[in-house]
Amino acid sequence: SSGINAEYGGEMRVREGEIVQLVRGFAQDYRKSIDSINGEVMKCFTNFNNGTVILQSALTKMVQYYNRFQKVLGQAPFKTLPIKAELVNVHHVMVEVKKYKNQF
């Protein structure tokens, strides 16, 4: 483990700032962003069936990518970063996504 940390040490210091920005930015804006995606889809796809399918597909992908991001942060060399404590629980994201399930 210390070998991995030594190997990635310099790059980790550079990347940690970016990771902190990503985690905090997501936590701050994810609800607003989901609402924005919903608004754009409603504006662009007036056919209810198509709009619903597209919206659900986009939101599902967002949850999948966020889940992958969390898994990456669980791996070396990221697993010791203190910012992990600030990650939004994926279930909270899913609850927010479900609010838009039948809104179209």
Side-chain angles (χ1 to χ4, degrees):
S1 172
S2 61
I4 290 174
N5 288 338
E7 183 181 339
Y8 293 107
E11 189 173 343
M12 271 299 296
R13 283 188 287 280
V14 174
R15 296 286 178 194
E16 186 172 356
E18 293 175 35
I19 293 168
V20 167
Q21 284 183 312
L22 277 171
V23 170
R24 289 189 177 150
F26 184 85
Q28 182 178 343
D29 295 333
Y30 80 97
R31 288 180 184 94
K32 189 174 18 170
S33 296
I34 291 170
D35 191 55
S36 177
I37 292 168
N38 179 61
E40 286 295 314
V41 170
M42 284 180 22
K43 187 169 60 175
C44 294
F45 299 95
T46 54
N47 178 297
F48 291 142
N49 291 333
N50 290 344
T52 300
V53 168
I54 290 165
L55 177 63
Q56 284 307 301
S57 179
L59 295 179
T60 298
K61 281 291 181 196
M62 184 199 70
V63 171
Q64 287 173 342
Y65 282 116
Y66 184 66
N67 197 32
R68 287 180 190 167
F69 177 66
Q70 286 189 330
K71 286 183 179 181
V72 167
L73 290 184
Q75 305 289 317
F78 308 110
K79 65 183 177 183
T80 59
L81 294 178
I83 192 66
K84 283 182 52 193
E86 296 182 38
L87 284 168
V88 175
N89 187 300
V90 73
H91 296 291
H92 292 220
V93 177
M94 290 170 64
V95 165
E96 204 62 34
V97 164
K98 285 180 184 178
K99 292 178 183 178
Y100 294 90
K101 190 170 181 95
N102 294 319
Q103 248 195 353
F104 211 85

